[in-house]
Amino acid sequence: MTAAASTSSPVSPTSPPRRAHGRGAPLPSWVLGVLGIVGFLATWELVVRSGLVEAEYLPAASAVLREIAELAGTSEFWAALGRTVRTWAIGLAIAASAAVVVGLVIGPSRFLRRATHSTIEFLRPIPSVALIPLAVLLYGTSMQSTLLLVVYAAFWQVLIQVLYGVGDVDPVASDTARSFGLGALARIRHLTWPTALPYVMTGLRLGAAVALILTVTGELVIGGGGIGTEIALANSGGAVPQMYALVVVAGLIGVVVNLVARVVERRALHWHVSVRREAL
Amino acid sequence: MKVLKSIAYAVTLPALLILLWWVLTIDSTNFYVPKPGELATTFVDTWFGERFREDVMPSVARFAAGTLLAIVLGIAAGVCIGSVRWLRSLLEPMLEFFRAIPPPVLVPILMVLIGINDRMKIAVIVFGAIWPVLLNTIEGVRAVDPVLVDTARTYGLSRWQRLRTLVLPSAAPQIAAGVRQALSIGLILMVISEMFASSSGLGFTIVLFQRSFAVTEMWSGIVLLGLIGVAVSIVFQVCERKILHWYYGQKEVQHGR
């Protein structure tokens, strides 16, 4: 999941500048970050080497890294990775476009918003993994099973944000647009959409992380190929180092997804105050 | 009048949807979609009895234990990491990585490390649900107004007093956002850990129904999970309103409502 602070504010505010407390010049934070990673790997290696945890259950860091390098040389690994990324992307795209359309229809109308509120609040907290048995019955172990989970989970994340965003439209601007004779579509294009866009981007960022979780979960529990299925296979086959390697890869995919989501958000909102202020 | 109107708004659409469902299935023999009445009786027969004590309660207890532990550990660690600058820089990349791991893949790992038992299931929930709480607490602690921190220091407030009266309250709204995410992840992991390796519990039972093609029972399990999800979210909202009443009051004043 993302650390995104409040789900209602589109872009987290910049933190106030802090004075350095330390004596002498402190190390730049990226150096400390690298030190942290190295320290973690070293501790992991030591814990295993010293026999604190048996290597049978927790292979040493070096063994897992070697396993990743080996995996990267096989075409099966890249096929599985491609499958996971494809399911994730298709699921997120379906969920996001459906949520934006539904949000733009419901959002501007007070009547529709009130009428659908209870239903949305009821359907939203239903854990999407509850749908796993249904997905298996309907689609077997094909990609559609996983897609169903991904779309369900990501849809609500985006929809809620779109609804917040549409609700944020300045009433004066809305009345002005109306008295200048802008049609419904033109109002959406020039007023509602730009207002809602920061919220939509937050929704996309949250949705992207959730979609990845559900993609891997679906592959893990339902099967049908992809990184999740590879992990399940490695687990049942007792290939412990490979399992750890694949889990690390799953984490790296997550890191990339988060980074890409943040870049896309900044690109799409380059005109927005919150991004411009950071750049200045 | 006003109350009646808002009740009508809340009830109309769900009622219409159920009516539609009832009309569409009135003379269908579709194997996958049960009739509303049938589902309701199956729901009561299936879950209120032996199963409630043997499958539902243990699942919910594991969920509660795991999520509470995750919240407490997350806040404690978050306060430590958030208030020490070098520690934050040191750990940030590692935490970003752990947060990005889709939590369900931890199930096979912890199965190997701990074995298949209750401890493993609780550990899965803790390991998955702690990250949103931890990272949001760090952010919240970091964003405490520095002027207030200096003021508190000047007035000679001890470390503990500062934590209780300044740091925790001002980070609370952000912590709440993290807890909300932690709850939904915890619920997902409760189900997944049981689907993967268990012989009891909600997740296991639902998969069992699906494998034996007991479709109506399976649907009733999905409904039960849904109801648990809704109940958890209501409990959270009530607690959030109670604990953060000052924050919502402040926001309402700011918005001039």
Side-chain angles (χ1 to χ4, degrees):
Chain A
M1 297 296 278
T2 57
S6 52
T7 26
S8 52
S9 78
V11 183
S12 58
T14 45
S15 56
R18 272 256 181 149
R19 285 139 299 158
H21 280 300
R23 301 142 211 99
L27 286 167
S29 65
W30 67 268
V31 174
L32 279 170
V34 171
L35 275 180
I37 297 175
V38 172
F40 174 78
L41 289 175
T43 321
W44 179 2
E45 186 79 25
L46 272 178
V47 164
V48 182
R49 284 281 164 93
S50 65
L52 218 62
V53 183
E54 277 185 63
E56 204 181 318
Y57 303 128
L58 176 69
S62 55
V64 172
L65 289 178
R66 213 178 309 124
E67 188 69 34
I68 294 178
E70 241 166 69
L71 275 177
T74 63
S75 60
E76 290 88 1
F77 168 76
W78 292 104
L81 186 66
R83 223 187 139 84
T84 300
V85 172
R86 209 176 71 213
T87 312
W88 169 79
I90 297 175
L92 184 62
I94 296 175
S97 25
V100 167
V101 171
V102 172
L104 286 181
V105 170
I106 296 177
S109 149
R110 197 175 134 76
F111 169 74
L112 283 179
R113 266 207 321 269
R114 287 190 71 182
T116 53
H117 182 77
S118 63
T119 313
I120 291 178
E121 282 306 305
F122 182 78
L123 290 178
R124 194 166 62 105
I126 295 179
S128 50
V129 286
L131 301 176
I132 287 179
L134 182 68
V136 174
L137 268 189
L138 290 179
Y139 300 113
T141 58
S142 62
M143 190 174 90
Q144 280 98 312
S145 286
T146 306
L147 265 184
L148 181 72
L149 306 182
V150 176
V151 171
Y152 187 86
F155 175 77
W156 301 112
Q157 299 277 352
V158 184
L159 178 66
I160 295 296
Q161 293 295 326
V162 176
L163 288 179
Y164 272 130
V166 174
D168 199 33
V169 171
D170 184 355
V172 177
S174 174
D175 290 347
T176 314
R178 224 180 269 251
S179 43
F180 272 85
L182 265 68
L185 269 183
R187 281 209 304 272
I188 288 184
R189 165 78 188 76
H190 295 292
L191 182 65
T192 314
W193 181 245
T195 312
L197 194 59
Y199 293 87
V200 175
M201 284 297 145
T202 307
L204 269 184
R205 187 155 47 77
L206 296 171
V210 170
L212 182 69
I213 295 180
L214 268 300
T215 306
V216 176
T217 308
E219 291 169 352
L220 186 74
V221 180
I222 301 174
I227 295 288
T229 309
E230 295 290 317
I231 292 175
L233 286 177
N235 177 44
S236 56
V240 176
Q242 197 184 349
M243 184 176 83
Y244 277 90
L246 287 165
V247 169
V248 172
V249 170
L252 291 176
I253 302 176
V255 172
V256 172
V257 164
N258 288 342
L259 286 178
V260 169
R262 251 174 248 173
V263 170
V264 169
E265 188 174 1
R266 293 184 68 96
R267 277 279 164 85
L269 296 179
H270 63 92
W271 50 272
H272 195 267
V273 189
S274 63
V275 174
R276 281 211 318 247
R277 195 174 47 202
E278 273 175 48
L280 284 175
Chain B
M1 201 53 218
K2 216 173 165 189
V3 178
L4 275 181
K5 208 170 161 189
S6 59
I7 290 177
Y9 265 118
V11 173
T12 313
L13 185 62
L16 279 178
L17 287 176
I18 292 175
L19 193 72
L20 185 72
W21 173 19
W22 184 69
V23 169
L24 286 180
T25 54
I26 206 155
D27 50 19
S28 91
T29 46
N30 191 328
F31 175 67
Y32 294 116
V33 186
K35 297 184 170 80
E38 211 183 328
L39 182 61
T41 45
T42 313
F43 181 81
V44 174
D45 290 346
T46 311
W47 299 108
F48 290 98
E50 193 81 328
R51 272 232 178 74
F52 188 76
R53 218 186 52 237
E54 278 176 11
D55 288 322
V56 182
M57 289 313 285
S59 285
V60 174
R62 284 192 290 259
F63 162 73
T67 337
L68 277 180
L69 207 59
I71 292 171
V72 171
L73 288 176
I75 293 177
V79 168
C80 295
I81 299 173
S83 37
V84 183
R85 195 186 161 90
W86 61 268
L87 197 59
R88 202 174 68 227
S89 309
L90 190 70
L91 295 179
E92 210 147 44
M94 274 334 288
L95 295 179
E96 284 287 323
F97 173 73
F98 277 113
R99 184 192 77 183
I101 297 179
V105 305
L106 297 168
V107 177
I109 285 204
L110 292 171
M111 240 163 77
V112 170
L113 273 178
I114 304 180
I116 299 174
N117 51 31
D118 274 2
R119 273 202 352 257
M120 178 278 269
K121 284 172 200 136
I122 293 174
V124 167
I125 296 174
V126 173
F127 269 93
I130 196 173
W131 307 112
V133 182
L134 178 64
L135 286 149
N136 274 313
T137 309
I138 294 178
E139 283 298 309
V141 169
R142 206 181 62 155
V144 176
D145 187 349
V147 177
L148 285 181
V149 175
D150 289 347
T151 312
R153 224 174 267 201
T154 321
Y155 276 90
L157 265 65
S158 71
R159 212 166 243 280
W160 171 242
Q161 278 172 323
R162 280 208 305 270
L163 181 70
R164 223 175 42 111
T165 55
L166 172 64
V167 176
L168 279 183
S170 86
Q174 199 141 12
I175 296 176
V179 170
R180 186 204 300 267
Q181 287 177 12
L183 288 174
S184 60
I185 295 182
L187 208 54
I188 290 181
L189 290 174
M190 173 195 97
V191 178
I192 296 284
S193 65
E194 291 166 359
M195 281 184 173
F196 219 77
S198 188
S199 52
S200 71
L202 261 173
F204 169 78
T205 320
I206 295 176
V207 170
L208 189 72
F209 286 145
Q210 174 239 316
R211 293 213 174 120
S212 51
F213 291 98
V215 176
T216 314
E217 280 83 355
M218 178 197 90
W219 270 106
S220 75
I222 295 178
V223 171
L224 181 63
L225 278 180
L227 288 176
I228 293 178
V230 174
V232 167
S233 122
I234 290 174
V235 169
F236 171 76
Q237 275 172 24
V238 169
C239 292
E240 194 191 20
R241 285 263 153 193
K242 271 246 159 80
I243 297 173
L244 291 179
H245 60 96
W246 55 272
Y247 175 69
Y248 287 104
Q250 207 178 34
K251 260 209 327 206
E252 268 168 33
V253 171
Q254 276 170 0
H255 287 260
R257 270 187 232 133

